[in-house]
Amino acid sequence: MGLTVDDVLDKIGSFGRYQLRLLLIFGFMYLFGNSILVMIPTFLSIEPPWRCKEGSSACNLTGIFKPGDHNYNFRCSIPRDDWEFDTNEITNSVVTEFDLVCRVSALSQLTKSVNFLGVLIGVLVGGVLSDKFGRKPILYFSSVLCSIMGLAASFVHVYWLYVLLRCFVGVFSGSCGLASYVLLVEYVGKRHRHMIGTTLFYFWVLSLLWLALIAYLIRDWRTLSIVGSAPGLLQIFFWWFIPESPRWLLVKNKKEEARNKLQKVAAFNKKEMPNEELELKDAKEGQRTGDFRDLFSSFNMTKRTLISCFSWMVISLVYYAVSFSAGTFGGNRYLVFFLTSLVEIPSNWTCIVLCRRIGRKKTTVLGVVVACIASIVAVLFQRDLKNTGFLVANIIMAQGVAKFFINMSFSSIYVFSNELFPTVIRNIGMGVSSASAGIGSMSAPYIVWLVRVHVLLPYSITAVLAFVCAALCFLLPETRDAATLENIDSVNSSASATEMTEKEQVLHEPAKEKEELGELLLKESYDV
């Protein structure tokens, strides 16, 4: 009888020196070849305040005016030569260089929108390509090209070309970000999937903290774009350090190559490779390569796909709605950005603990519900933001508590969805789910804009969506401690297993693994 990849990893190291090295490599790629390039438009497209030029007869206002101020739109009624940008804080930005104000002010947000549009395209196309051609080539070329596109955008002088390059950054970012996560998770055993999946997101937080620092130090958008993109070019040398997924190779019936990859893992971890032959769990002859149709091949698979997509969309919408609303709070933009990014570190750690203790499903639901409640409570403190007490309370609830818990849900939904889809369509399933998140992220600015209609409307919409999301997630099976699903038939098998009696189910549960898990496993996971 042969061994599955999970069985082999239990013997050669579920998370050892090899997986730690892989985590650091992918962490660098995630930081400089993905995350920072997605979030850097936050500072590239800052709109500085404006003021009247000295000696102007048409503009006789004193002081500076920023979005939201009473006389902010006055400049649109006077000649362009009678006012200027205040450059005390921002030397040069995309808005100032291309003069994206008044009738074309909406174009200043276009780069952010097309960036998320590119991510949506990237996760869809990248997911299909990596399931067809392998995780390694899609991850490598997408990550390198993402940095190249970001660097190229630093030198263009035509706005439409700049927007196009930012769109390409989104496409390659979405593709490489998804592939790196899936490949990393497929190299660890089921005992450490929750830990490795959420640990990768610490590099997302590091990218936000690094971005806040360099944006504070560099106030010229071209220089900032170059400094943010250039380190990613080091990824050109990473081809020889990125392995192909043994699970993907096994699905493609390349057993010898899969065994060679696992042999290298065993050697690096100083473990002995078992002699048994590799096999797929519930493998069948003539199993065809998975494609988009398989996401809806049965009732159970359709339910998982639709609920996963809706959950990703809602969580992404709430996350970015909380993030985008930070601009209404005042204070030092760099400090606020830094502190609200810093809160994601304990959030990810809490996610690891809860995923182990109460499961992936409950962790996801808890984060969504609490973030929603915190956002609603923040409305109560919006009556007078000039009052220091109201302002601080608003920031704590909207940017502190809400950001903490919605980020926790964002981390857990990655692990949860990754375990819901079988290997043969995992990248496609994760790609479609991530694409749904793109819809949520693109919708978030418009949800925040609805505050102009009524102060309660944005939070009411997010509350309803969040509670619907929470209710639907309870219809999904818990994946904690479950064996990795390898093919389509294993989904129906796992669904049938939940209907067994308690006595019968004990025979199918990974009892040995349950004995090894618990407090000791948690302690080992956090010490890595």
Side-chain angles (χ1 to χ4, degrees), residues 198-219:
T198 51
T199 300
L200 183 62
F201 289 100
Y202 283 113
F203 291 94
W204 165 268
V205 180
L206 288 177
S207 73
L208 298 181
L209 300 180
W210 171 246
L211 176 59
L213 175 61
I214 61 175
Y216 175 76
L217 297 175
I218 304 172
R219 305 301 176 91

Side-chain angles (χ1 to χ4, degrees), residues 177-461:
L178 177 63
S180 64
Y181 176 80
V182 172
L183 179 54
L184 184 61
V185 169
E186 290 183 341
Y187 257 97
V188 300
K190 52 183 176 287
R191 292 189 298 154
H192 293 92
R193 284 184 313 214
H194 72 291
M195 186 274 293
I196 196 70
T198 51
T199 300
L200 183 62
F201 289 100
Y202 283 113
F203 291 94
W204 165 268
V205 180
L206 288 177
S207 73
L208 298 181
L209 300 180
W210 171 246
L211 176 59
L213 175 61
I214 61 175
Y216 175 76
L217 297 175
I218 304 172
R219 305 301 176 91
D220 176 78
W221 80 270
R222 292 189 183 275
T223 306
L224 176 60
S225 182
I226 293 172
V227 172
S229 305
L233 297 180
L234 293 174
Q235 298 172 112
I236 294 175
F237 305 103
F238 283 18
W239 175 262
W240 297 273
F241 302 97
I242 302 174
E244 185 54 85
S245 167
R247 300 180 190 272
W248 180 84
L249 292 170
L250 201 57
V251 167
K252 294 297 182 179
N253 202 30
K254 299 179 180 181
K255 294 185 177 181
E256 191 61 33
E257 291 185 46
R259 185 174 184 83
N260 290 338
K261 299 299 180 184
L262 293 173
Q263 181 67 56
K264 293 180 180 180
V265 176
F268 200 86
N269 286 343
K270 297 182 179 180
K271 300 285 186 178
E272 184 177 349
M273 180 71 181
N275 296 322
E276 289 86 348
E277 184 180 355
L278 288 175
E279 69 174 11
L280 280 173
K281 180 179 174 60
D282 300 327
K284 285 190 176 184
E285 294 293 331
Q287 174 84 19
R288 68 176 180 84
T289 302
D291 57 31
F292 182 80
R293 295 170 296 175
D294 291 312
L295 294 175
F296 307 94
S297 59
S298 67
F299 174 79
N300 289 322
M301 196 69 252
T302 301
K303 181 177 69 174
R304 294 184 182 207
T305 300
L306 294 180
I307 295 179
S308 177
C309 290
F310 182 79
S311 300
W312 278 67
M313 183 191 72
V314 172
I315 292 173
S316 177
L317 186 150
V318 176
Y319 178 90
Y320 286 104
V322 170
S323 300
F324 294 156
S325 63
T328 64
F329 296 139
N332 186 295
R333 74 171 80 243
Y334 305 99
L335 181 60
V336 171
F337 187 88
F338 181 87
L339 293 177
T340 56
S341 300
L342 195 63
V343 77
E344 296 190 22
I345 294 179
S347 174
N348 283 335
W349 184 86
T350 303
C351 176
I352 295 177
V353 175
L354 293 182
C355 278
R356 178 64 266 158
R357 295 289 182 86
I358 66 176
R360 284 64 154 148
K361 180 169 66 175
K362 292 180 181 178
T363 301
T364 302
V365 172
L366 176 65
V368 172
V369 172
V370 176
C372 178
I373 294 174
S375 298
I376 294 176
V377 173
V379 177
L380 302 177
F381 299 103
Q382 284 189 323
R383 290 176 296 172
D384 185 12
L385 292 181
K386 294 182 179 180
N387 182 298
T388 303
F390 279 90
L391 176 61
V392 172
N394 194 307
I395 293 177
I396 290 176
M397 295 305 297
Q399 295 296 291
V401 178
K403 189 70 175 293
F404 181 97
F405 281 96
I406 198 59
N407 178 74
M408 185 180 76
S409 288
F410 227 148
S411 296
S412 62
I413 195 65
Y414 262 91
V415 181
F416 192 25
S417 293
N418 191 75
E419 295 175 341
L420 286 173
F421 294 106
T423 300
V424 69
I425 57 169
R426 182 169 297 124
N427 250 53
I428 298 176
M430 290 290 286
V432 172
S433 298
S434 297
S436 301
I439 297 175
S441 60
M442 286 189 293
S443 304
Y446 301 101
I447 296 296
V448 176
W449 180 87
L450 290 175
V451 73
R452 294 168 175 80
V453 178
H454 194 283
V455 68
L456 294 178
L457 192 55
Y459 299 99
S460 300
I461 293 175

Side-chain angles (χ1 to χ4, degrees), residues 7-19 187-189 191-192 265-266 269 271-272:
D7 295 332
V8 174
L9 287 172
D10 284 339
K11 296 178 181 295
I12 65 176
S14 177
F15 185 81
R17 295 169 62 244
Y18 185 91
Q19 287 89 348
Y187 257 97
V188 300
R191 292 189 298 154
H192 293 92
V265 176
N269 286 343
K271 300 285 186 178
E272 184 177 349

